[in-house]
Amino acid sequence: MTREIQGNTEKISEFTVRRLSNYFRILRELEVKGVTTVSSARLAELGGITSAQVRKDLSYFGNFGTRGLGYKVTELKDAVIRILGLNHRWGMALFGAGSLGHALFFHNGFREDGFYFTHVYDIDDEKIGTMWRDVEIRHVREAEDRLRAAPVEIGVLTTPKESAQEVVDLMARVGVKGVLNFAPKRLELPDNMWLRNVNLAVALESLSFYLSL
Amino acid sequence: MTREIQGNTEKISEFTVRRLSNYFRILRELEVKGVTTVSSARLAELGGITSAQVRKDLSYFGNFGTRGLGYKVTELKDAVIRILGLNHRWGMALFGAGSLGHALFFHNGFREDGFYFTHVYDIDDEKIGTMWRDVEIRHVREAEDRLRAAPVEIGVLTTPKESAQEVVDLMARVGVKGVLNFAPKRLELPDNMWLRNVNLAVALESLSFYLSL
DNA sequence: TAGATTGTTAATCGATTAACAATC
DNA sequence: TAGATTGTTAATCGATTAACAATC
């Protein structure tokens, strides 16, 4: 994560990026409520962090506030949208049409943020041919050709862990740049791809640890 | 997180706990493969971290290795199981029988780790009365009485964000101690409860950030 | 002008890593 | 004994927080 960021040479930590994503949700809610101005102290309160943290996070990307006044909600929200790259549409391919894949595909929040599934692949003949909204579930053997013809930026991986790596290799071949992985498996990716792992077992097991104290 | 841990006064960071959960999966796989002994260097390689990190994480909980030899796979796996509290059965209540709740309920990995859903609640009359395995979906208004009669340690929250806080309050009243929250909402909990948030929008939006670089 | 709040620097805190004596 | 690898201490790195001059 040493690449240049929007004309800025500083390295942005993943912690900062995740908080940015939270600021986005908070600001969107404030905007809906008709709040026009917000201070770093208020944002911090809503986000459960410190105001210094808020100001520091934002300072990596520019001067969005006004001393003595705070931040204009809509203005800051729009800035955060641009920073996160949510000002355009992202195409996604889903690999694994199981119940988790189904839940993700039909989750409306993603579309509202601009993340659209345009491909769904599985290997189960029972599922192949089924329509999910306007997307037909295809056999994964068709994936490579179809993704070359209609590329996407993001691949979402909900297959069993045994096939996760080969699916990632396929994604690499067709130019997918980001992978959201739900398989409990460490994946090897080329340097020009980004990976985000979501491991629900880790979440539950860490709860279990604290409950056992 | 300042409470005593298994007779040890050191504070265990959440980073360590999450890695422990990964060691567990790695060790289980090694055991299946018939590997009997493993070094911190090999564990580190499989986990994508450093060997010093592995040794440090384990050292918080005891001396599990043998100098010159490494760790006995089964022995260490069993130790990690005890540390994580995976050596007993955890009862879970699901709030929100939507597609994400469905995916979690039917995810076999959880049962294999000892996490069992014994309650499912929703407010949709279409769903109430439906059986998921041997669990009947009930109206959330029955939850309080039923959870007092048959308590659980963990609550899993997949309701819309608007009702998340009131469900947590209910959980607190019936003695739930851990919450796995999928609603994109900051929740207030009493000090004697533990919270783990899983926010899929954060995962996607942070990918979007790096893809936009 | 007085009060409020940003943007930023310096201090602190905590997590990771390197190094190595202990020891199998 | 020689080689390997742990457990632990000290050094380093990076993230968070405190503090405050700048300024609306």
Side-chain angles (χ1 to χ4, degrees):
Chain A
M1 310 217 181
T2 45
R3 290 194 264 165
E4 277 199 39
I5 286 145
Q6 307 181 353
N8 181 335
T9 346
E10 295 209 64
K11 287 159 219 75
I12 305 303
S13 86
E14 188 170 330
F15 296 103
T16 293
V17 177
R18 300 181 70 89
R19 283 191 298 267
L20 242 16
S21 160
N22 280 325
Y23 302 151
F24 165 55
R25 254 173 300 289
I26 291 167
L27 290 163
R28 189 170 49 180
E29 203 153 312
L30 287 172
E31 192 182 40
V32 168
K33 283 186 185 152
V35 178
T36 55
T37 299
V38 67
S39 66
S40 60
R42 178 67 179 140
L43 276 175
E45 190 187 4
L46 294 168
I49 55 177
T50 65
S51 66
Q53 183 80 86
V54 172
R55 293 197 300 279
K56 185 131 246 282
D57 285 338
L58 296 175
S59 76
Y60 292 122
F61 304 97
N63 298 359
F64 304 107
T66 309
R67 287 162 138 95
L69 280 168
Y71 303 87
K72 290 270 182 60
V73 169
T74 300
E75 211 171 89
L76 184 57
K77 191 207 68 177
D78 289 344
V80 172
I81 282 177
R82 281 192 307 278
I83 292 164
L84 288 174
L86 301 179
N87 54 337
H88 73 78
R89 195 182 187 284
W90 297 102
M92 303 199 291
L94 176 65
F95 293 84
S99 56
L100 181 56
H102 184 268
L104 297 171
F105 185 94
F106 286 97
H107 180 67
N108 290 320
F110 295 157
R111 323 205 114 210
E112 287 158 16
D113 280 4
F115 297 94
Y116 286 80
F117 284 107
T118 53
H119 299 247
V120 179
Y121 299 101
D122 203 293
I123 55 161
D124 180 355
D125 285 333
E126 295 275 301
K127 287 171 186 157
I128 312 292
T130 306
M131 296 296 290
W132 280 3
R133 287 209 179 98
D134 54 344
V135 181
E136 184 178 343
I137 302 179
R138 304 267 179 174
H139 196 284
V140 72
R141 78 170 79 88
E142 297 184 42
E144 192 154 347
D145 283 349
R146 297 185 62 85
L147 280 162
R148 280 187 209 282
V152 299
E153 290 85 17
I154 296 174
V156 176
L157 195 39
T158 65
T159 66
K161 63 176 186 299
E162 289 71 21
S163 32
Q165 184 61 56
E166 56 190 288
V167 172
V168 168
D169 296 343
L170 187 159
M171 288 193 212
R173 290 195 298 276
V174 299
V176 167
K177 288 291 172 260
V179 178
L180 184 61
N181 172 43
F182 290 84
K185 177 96 192 340
R186 208 166 73 86
L187 300 172
E188 300 286 346
L189 274 88
D191 286 345
N192 64 342
M193 288 176 73
W194 298 95
L195 174 65
R196 195 91 336 170
N197 290 303
V198 177
N199 190 324
L200 300 174
V202 171
L204 266 186
E205 288 165 12
S206 68
L207 256 191
S208 166
F209 173 85
Y210 291 106
L211 296 178
S212 307
L213 295 185
Chain B
M1 312 215 179
T2 46
R3 291 193 262 166
E4 277 198 41
I5 286 144
Q6 309 184 351
N8 181 334
T9 347
E10 294 208 63
K11 288 158 219 76
I12 306 302
S13 86
E14 187 171 330
F15 295 103
T16 293
V17 176
R18 299 181 71 89
R19 282 191 299 264
L20 242 16
S21 161
N22 279 327
Y23 301 151
F24 165 56
R25 254 173 300 290
I26 291 167
L27 290 163
R28 190 170 50 180
E29 204 152 311
L30 287 173
E31 193 182 39
V32 168
K33 282 186 188 155
V35 178
T36 55
T37 298
V38 68
S39 65
S40 59
R42 178 67 179 139
L43 276 175
E45 192 187 1
L46 294 169
I49 55 178
T50 66
S51 66
Q53 183 81 82
V54 172
R55 294 196 302 280
K56 184 132 247 283
D57 285 340
L58 296 175
S59 75
Y60 293 123
F61 304 98
N63 297 359
F64 303 107
T66 309
R67 285 162 139 96
L69 280 168
Y71 304 87
K72 292 271 181 59
V73 170
T74 301
E75 211 172 90
L76 184 58
K77 190 207 68 179
D78 289 345
V80 173
I81 283 177
R82 280 193 307 278
I83 292 165
L84 289 175
L86 301 179
N87 52 338
H88 73 75
R89 193 184 189 285
W90 297 102
M92 303 200 291
L94 176 66
F95 292 84
S99 56
L100 181 56
H102 183 269
L104 297 170
F105 185 94
F106 286 97
H107 180 68
N108 289 320
F110 295 158
R111 323 205 112 208
E112 287 159 17
D113 279 3
F115 297 94
Y116 286 79
F117 284 106
T118 53
H119 300 246
V120 179
Y121 299 101
D122 204 292
I123 53 162
D124 180 353
D125 285 332
E126 295 275 300
K127 288 172 186 156
I128 313 291
T130 305
M131 295 298 289
W132 279 4
R133 287 209 180 98
D134 54 344
V135 181
E136 185 178 343
I137 302 178
R138 305 266 179 175
H139 196 283
V140 72
R141 76 169 82 88
E142 296 184 43
E144 192 153 348
D145 283 349
R146 297 185 64 85
L147 280 163
R148 278 187 210 284
V152 298
E153 290 84 17
I154 295 173
V156 177
L157 196 39
T158 65
T159 67
K161 63 176 187 297
E162 289 72 20
S163 32
Q165 185 61 57
E166 57 190 286
V167 172
V168 168
D169 296 344
L170 187 160
M171 289 192 210
R173 290 196 298 275
V174 300
V176 168
K177 288 290 173 262
V179 178
L180 184 61
N181 173 42
F182 290 85
K185 177 93 185 352
R186 208 166 73 86
L187 299 172
E188 299 287 345
L189 273 89
D191 286 343
N192 64 343
M193 287 176 73
W194 298 95
L195 174 64
R196 197 89 338 170
N197 291 303
V198 177
N199 191 325
L200 301 173
V202 170
L204 267 186
E205 288 166 11
S206 67
L207 256 192
S208 165
F209 173 84
Y210 291 106
L211 296 179
S212 307
L213 294 186

